[in-house]
């Protein structure tokens, strides 16, 4: 299979790349940091191709699509993994950073999906995995409100695609990791005190994703604890959910 993975230079994306390559698939790795991508190319050689671009900009996505067409690669699976988010009270954080989050997590993801969804629908085969979050199931994410809302969009959008596309033979799945030990948003997972917030490693997320995709799941929630938490969220009043999230995010913010 030919697989595109956005945000493959680190964290969950890099582990997804490894698992697909190790299982004999060809991967096109997309991200901005050239040195990280070049290291990946060196490590995996002809099993990967790298494209260095910022996909929060729509013109770059158009160019990315052209580049892939020129490579003559028929894409079988698109994994929209690249994502970002800002910590802090909305009224005191940089609006430019929130706009970037929306441009990447929503606009970029939607545009890339649109391009490949049409090709896959016409072919009657292929697949799309959109990386949402367990945050997608919450009533809101105080101190990370824009990020949580963007992930609620990703889950809702992806579930709509399931109904529109799967009858035609195109697989659709939302990957919803819980807190995972990556350097998300440049905050090192090695930072003292952060370990208590993590439920899964990037490797566990990638393994669950791979297994669930080939088992025809539409929503993948890696880790038993995350599954339980998402399940019980249904029975917790929305205003209580928000207060719990606020307490967790405030504790996290104190470490940053
Ligand atoms: N870690 C968690 O707890 C957690 C939980 C739930 C969901 N998620 C989701 O999982 C996904 C991966 O995050 P992660 O935790 O693995 O964090 P990460 O290590 O920071 O990975 C983010 C990836 O996205 C890429 N990226 C960021 N901005 C980009 C842009 N404008 N254009 C192209 N690529 C861009 C980064 O590469 P470059 O910097 O090289 O561009 C990096 O490879 C995200 O969608 C995140 O929301 C994470």
């Amino acid at each position: 299979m030919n697989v595109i993975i956005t945000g493959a230079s680190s964290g969950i994306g890099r582990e997804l790349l490894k698992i697909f390559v190790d299982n004999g698939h060809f991967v096109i790795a997309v991200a901005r940091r050239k040195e990280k991508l070049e290291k990946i190319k060196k490590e995996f050689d002809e099993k990967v191709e790298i494209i260095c671009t910022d996909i929060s900009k729509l013109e770059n996505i158009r160019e990315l699509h052209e580049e892939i067409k020129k490579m003559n690669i028929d894409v079988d699976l698109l994994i929209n993994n690249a994502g970002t988010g800002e910590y802090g009270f909305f009224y005191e954080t940089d609006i430019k950073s929130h706009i970037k989050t929306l441009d990447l997590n929503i606009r970029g993801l939607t545009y890339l999906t649109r391009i490949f969804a049409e090709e896959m629908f016409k072919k009657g085969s292929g697949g799309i995995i959109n990386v949402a979050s367990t945050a997608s199931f919450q009533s809101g994410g105080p101190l990370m409100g824009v990020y949580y809302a963007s992930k609620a969009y990703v889950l809702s959008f992806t579930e709509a695609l399931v109904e529109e596309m799967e009858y035609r033979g195109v697989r659709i799945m939302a990957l919803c990791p819980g807190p995972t030990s990556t350097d998300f948003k440049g905050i090192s997972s090695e930072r003292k005190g952060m370990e208590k917030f993590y439920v899964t490693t990037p490797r566990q997320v990638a393994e669950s994703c791979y297994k669930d995709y080939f088992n025809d799941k539409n929503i993948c929630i890696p880790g038993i604890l995350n599954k339980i938490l998402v399940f019980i969220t249904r029975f917790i009043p929305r205003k209580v959910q928000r207060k719990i999230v606020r307490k967790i995010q405030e504790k996290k913010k104190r470490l940053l």
Side-chain angles (χ1 to χ4, degrees), residues 7 9-10 12 32-33 54-55 81 104 132 147 151 177-178 180 182:
S9 62
S10 64
I12 294 169
R32 293 164 306 174
R33 284 171 292 178
D54 179 344
I55 51 166
N81 164 72
L104 179 64
Y147 174 77
K151 291 299 179 181
T180 304
T182 67

Side-chain angles (χ1 to χ4, degrees), residues 140-193:
L143 280 84
M144 271 200 110
V146 173
Y147 174 77
Y148 271 59
S150 75
K151 291 299 179 181
Y153 169 89
V154 174
L155 179 61
S156 171
F157 170 58
T158 307
E159 287 198 81
L161 292 180
V162 171
E163 285 308 308
E164 290 188 20
M165 297 189 70
E166 285 215 336
Y167 80 94
R168 177 85 180 145
V170 183
R171 286 276 300 111
I172 304 286
M173 188 174 88
L175 170 61
C176 302
T180 304
S181 51
T182 67
D183 296 347
F184 181 66
K185 191 64 189 150
I187 299 156
S188 170
S189 58
E190 314 268 291
R191 195 178 284 229
K192 203 167 169 294

Side-chain angles (χ1 to χ4, degrees), residues 3-17:
V3 185
I4 303 182
I5 304 177
T6 69
S9 62
S10 64
I12 294 169
R14 198 177 189 289
E15 287 302 322
L16 285 168
L17 177 142

Side-chain angles (χ1 to χ4, degrees), residues 96-110:
K96 284 200 203 104
S97 170
H98 291 303
I99 299 297
K100 186 92 181 167
T101 296
L102 297 176
D103 285 347
L104 179 64
N105 298 12
I106 296 185
R107 276 161 50 101
L109 176 142
T110 306

